[in-house]
Amino acid sequence: MDRTSSTAIVIAVIVLALAGMVIGWRGRQKRQAHLPRPDAVPADPGTELFTAEAFYVATTMADDELNRIAVAGLGFRARATVTVTDSGIILSRTGAAETFLAKAALRGIDRATYTIDRVVEKGGLVRLAWTLGATPVDSYLRLTDPADAAALIDIVTPLLPTPVPLEGDAT
């Protein structure tokens, strides 16, 4: 086999793999088309209680760390700023619209060690459990300053409507 044929085969395999990824992502988006868009930040989000820089890792179905949400830009990792106000949490992700997690939508907050495509030291992620429409979801953040993780949990916990311990990888 000559070099041209080998190159053509490699390029064909790469194109097929990319096409498979696009088809899979579109299929996931269709299966999740019932999910609403996250709330936009209200005109008056309330008094700011806390702000920290973070890496937004993913949003997944609740307690299913390998089932990524693919709608409304929630499927892509990004640098983020997390702002806690007395009415909820604002996630400002680079390259995406701001997402507002209203106080009433919050279900819990704890630490996690892994989610889809990310494994860190024990408790290195913060898991925000909230409701997207009627669907419970979990968003994972890796705070730039590890000390901010404990502060974020301490500030969000009193905002929870009914603090309930989360199940799963909360270590």
Side-chain angles (χ1 to χ4, degrees):
M1 187 177 296
D2 65 345
R3 180 175 243 162
T4 305
S5 299
S6 299
T7 303
I9 290 171
V10 168
I11 290 172
V13 167
I14 290 170
V15 168
L16 285 173
L18 291 173
M21 287 190 291
V22 168
I23 290 168
W25 189 255
R26 287 188 179 162
R28 178 177 295 275
Q29 287 177 321
K30 284 181 185 176
R31 287 189 304 276
Q32 296 176 354
H34 68 283
L35 295 174
R37 299 190 73 72
D39 293 338
V41 177
D44 180 18
T47 305
E48 185 176 310
L49 305 173
F50 177 81
T51 299
E53 295 298 316
F55 294 103
Y56 169 79
V57 178
T59 296
T60 64
M61 295 295 193
D63 298 322
D64 188 0
E65 300 86 3
L66 302 178
N67 190 0
R68 182 188 302 269
I69 301 293
V71 296
L74 293 172
F76 303 106
R77 287 197 282 175
R79 290 190 175 273
T81 301
V82 182
T83 304
V84 180
T85 69
D86 54 6
S87 63
I89 300 171
I90 302 168
L91 291 178
S92 302
R93 294 168 290 133
T94 303
E98 287 186 325
T99 301
F100 183 68
L101 313 180
K103 202 160 89 165
L106 297 175
R107 296 183 308 108
I109 186 167
D110 64 356
R111 296 204 178 220
T113 301
Y114 66 92
T115 187
I116 192 160
D117 80 0
R118 178 65 60 171
V119 177
V120 297
E121 72 280 357
K122 189 171 184 173
L125 298 173
V126 172
R127 175 172 64 160
L128 284 170
W130 56 290
T131 306
L132 179 60
T135 305
V137 296
D138 296 332
S139 290
Y140 294 86
L141 304 167
R142 179 150 173 93
L143 279 86
T144 306
D145 182 353
D148 286 341
L152 177 62
I153 291 169
D154 289 344
I155 289 174
V156 170
T157 300
L159 296 177
L160 298 175
T162 52
V164 177
L166 297 173
E167 295 179 17
D169 181 23
T171 55

